[in-house]
Amino acid sequence: MTETATASKKPAVFTTGSTMRHVVVMTATSSVGLVSIFAVDALNLFYISLLGQQELAAAIGYAATIMFFSISLCIGIAIAAAALVGRALGAGEDERAKRMATASLVYLVLLSSLFAALLYPSLRWCLELLGARGETLEMALDFMQIVVPSIPLLGMGMVLGALLRAKGDPKRAMFVTLSGGAAALVLDPIFIFGLDMGIMGAATATVCVRAILVIVGLHGVHKVHRMLGAPHVDEIRASVAPFMTIALPAIATQLATPVGNAYVTSAIAEFGDDAVAGWAIVGRLLPVAFGVIFALSGAVGPILSQNLGAKLYDRVMATMRDALTFTLIYCLAVWALLAIANPWIVGLFGATGEAAELVRLFCLIVAGSFLFNGALFVANAAFNNLGFPFYATIFNWGRATLGVIPFVYFGKTWGSSGVMIGWGAGAVVFGIAAMVMAFRLIGTLPAREAERSVDEDRPPLPPTANSAFTSGKGAIFGINSNSGNSDSDRDRRDS
């Protein structure tokens, strides 16, 4: 037996050893960068709160709700880029990969520019639809008018990071994201306080940060890996169908969360700027506290995929159980910490009145619902990585609509606190339902895999968790690809 043949029989890394250890290690390494990005986003809101106006925090909340739609659009495009480029690289077709990478950036620029062009003239209407009024409306509008034209820059940063992951260079993909976080850490206080620009400074810093994402990403993609070529019209046209086949359902799945979030924001807005400011603080606090669970939803995917490829169905089931156990322990620990630290958190952000009440309510009660949100994230990771992406879309939209609208609608009877509790209660229903379905589907894997071709492409792997009120820099961390160059894929081809 040749050395090559021997190497081809080497087990994929996640198919041996403790599944719990794989879950913990993968989640820990993935969460470092992600949590740091969420922390910088929270620090941005902290800087705004130091200006002493609740209306400023509320304005950021309204603006972030709308920007969340653009982030979801860009994530969907980045998923398609990573999937197609990764598959070409895995097949050894470097020139096709280069053409697809270039075409992906062209599509991103065209689609995101179109979105920005349509959004810009309707900003006031969108903000009013959410419930923004008076000075808060004008502040949010000023912020959005600066930030919206930079949506293509944000999208390029996401796609470039995704291309680096598809190339098998997660280190440089991490540099793209961390460069944005580091830049925000420096630029936010300079523009907000040093230049005395207030919320306009926060918007200007956001644009600068997005430009830095693109510069660092282009260095890795083009300068280091030479993944881009001159765009050709015929090649771009030929790539439209396969690109949109992946991008459109991915965008549809991603849009679920901002739709639900927009409804909650509009419901909260009925109770005034203080309530929206509290909701904005919760939106920035939540991903910092539970960023590890956001990371888990992406980190568990390769473990599930490799064991499925190796037909180790008992390890697939064990991985799911271990991921749930990890979620349970982590969420309970963080919930306890939030409950203990809630007075300090309220004081840190300068929250008063209804804003302070909502932050306390989240820390003491509603944070516990993330046990079930985490279960939903893990279930969606299973759906996407085990060949059932349709269920991820169904449960994402179910959570964002049936798991939000009726609960929040009836919760409004008890004021903004009722809205917050209703938002959390919906997670309980869909978290449990998703996990039950995930375990049922895992039980069907042996029969299902026996019937399918070993050469059939796996579906693309979209992020299974995304957070409202974030800048989008952290979204790069959640983008995986069905690259075709993983250990399990090579093992299947070689065998």
Side-chain angles (χ1 to χ4, degrees):
M1 184 177 291
T2 65
E3 183 178 345
T4 302
T6 301
S8 69
K9 298 298 183 181
K10 183 180 179 180
V13 65
F14 298 129
T15 60
T16 60
S18 167
T19 54
M20 176 59 87
R21 180 180 181 277
H22 292 318
V23 168
V24 172
V25 171
M26 285 289 287
T27 302
T29 54
S30 298
S31 64
V32 172
L34 186 59
V35 173
S36 68
I37 294 301
F38 289 147
V40 170
D41 282 333
L43 191 61
N44 174 273
L45 188 60
F46 168 70
Y47 290 144
I48 292 294
S49 71
L50 293 179
L51 297 175
Q53 290 181 268
Q54 293 277 60
E55 292 85 359
L56 289 172
I60 292 293
Y62 285 120
T65 299
I66 295 174
M67 290 303 297
F68 199 13
F69 285 90
S70 67
I71 292 170
S72 298
L73 170 71
C74 295
I75 289 175
I77 296 171
I79 288 167
L84 293 174
V85 172
R87 289 174 186 177
L89 290 171
E93 301 174 357
D94 290 351
E95 286 303 313
R96 182 165 71 92
K98 183 180 292 188
R99 292 195 300 271
M100 288 306 307
T102 304
S104 296
L105 283 174
V106 172
Y107 299 143
L108 178 281
V109 171
L110 291 176
L111 291 174
S112 61
S113 296
L114 176 62
F115 179 84
L118 293 174
L119 176 61
Y120 194 90
S122 60
L123 282 174
R124 181 178 292 275
W125 176 81
C126 291
L127 290 166
E128 289 176 343
L129 186 65
L130 288 176
R133 298 290 185 270
E135 186 179 3
T136 302
L137 169 62
E138 299 304 322
M139 290 177 179
L141 187 61
D142 289 342
F143 182 90
M144 294 292 289
Q145 286 175 338
I146 294 175
V147 172
V148 165
S150 72
I151 289 174
L153 291 177
L154 172 64
M156 287 183 67
M158 289 184 179
V159 170
L160 291 166
L163 291 176
L164 287 168
R165 286 188 175 274
K167 180 68 175 177
D169 192 352
K171 183 178 179 180
R172 282 192 172 82
M174 181 179 68
F175 288 161
V176 175
T177 307
L178 290 182
S179 68
L185 193 64
V186 173
L187 295 177
D188 278 341
I190 291 176
F191 282 100
I192 294 172
F193 300 116
L195 299 178
D196 196 24
M197 294 175 65
I199 196 169
M200 304 294 284
T204 305
T206 297
V207 175
C208 294
V209 166
R210 292 177 176 184
I212 290 170
L213 289 175
V214 175
I215 293 170
V216 177
L218 280 174
H219 178 268
V221 170
H222 184 58
K223 186 75 173 178
V224 176
H225 292 296
R226 301 293 180 184
M227 295 178 68
L228 301 177
H232 298 287
V233 175
D234 291 341
E235 292 175 351
I236 291 173
R237 286 176 179 171
S239 303
V240 169
F243 185 88
M244 291 302 174
T245 298
I246 298 174
L248 291 180
I251 291 171
T253 299
Q254 291 300 316
L255 285 175
T257 306
V259 167
N261 185 69
Y263 181 79
V264 178
T265 302
S266 64
I268 289 280
E270 295 180 20
F271 303 97
D273 286 345
D274 275 8
V276 177
W279 174 234
I281 293 169
V282 168
R284 292 290 172 96
L285 177 62
L286 187 150
V288 175
F290 295 104
V292 171
I293 302 302
F294 283 82
L296 170 65
S297 70
V300 75
I303 307 172
L304 292 168
S305 295
Q306 286 194 7
N307 284 289
L308 176 64
K311 301 187 185 302
L312 299 175
Y313 306 115
D314 58 333
R315 289 180 63 84
V316 173
M317 187 70 78
T319 299
M320 283 295 291
R321 292 196 189 101
D322 290 341
L324 277 178
T325 301
F326 181 94
T327 299
L328 176 65
I329 295 171
Y330 181 86
C331 289
L332 287 175
V334 170
W335 186 13
L337 288 174
L338 287 173
I340 294 169
N342 87 86
W344 179 80
I345 294 171
V346 169
L348 180 67
F349 286 96
T352 59
E354 201 153 6
E357 289 181 14
L358 287 181
V359 174
R360 279 193 290 267
L361 178 66
F362 172 76
C363 292
L364 293 172
I365 298 175
V366 180
S369 69
F370 216 79
L371 285 164
F372 302 94
N373 271 320
L376 177 61
F377 296 163
V378 173
N380 281 343
F383 296 144
N384 283 321
N385 286 276
L386 301 179
F388 307 100
F390 175 74
Y391 287 96
T393 302
I394 290 298
F395 278 101
N396 272 2
W397 275 99
R399 164 59 175 138
T401 54
L402 297 178
V404 169
I405 295 173
F407 291 91
V408 169
Y409 179 81
F410 288 108
K412 285 194 294 185
T413 305
W414 293 276
S416 60
S417 297
V419 173
M420 180 78 74
I421 291 173
W423 168 69
V428 177
V429 176
F430 279 86
I432 293 174
M435 285 311 309
V436 170
M437 181 59 71
F439 279 109
R440 287 186 61 184
L441 292 175
I442 290 172
T444 69
L445 285 177
R448 182 177 182 273
E449 289 295 299
E451 295 175 359
R452 70 183 283 166
S453 168
V454 294
D455 294 324
E456 182 181 342
D457 276 340
R458 300 286 178 194
L461 312 177
T464 56
N466 202 358
S467 174
F469 295 126
T470 61
S471 63
K473 297 184 290 295
I476 298 172
F477 273 91
I479 298 170
N480 298 302
S481 67
N482 185 18
S483 61
N485 60 355
S486 68
D487 290 340
S488 58
D489 290 328
R490 282 196 297 268
D491 291 344
R492 286 198 302 273
R493 286 198 303 270
D494 291 341
S495 61

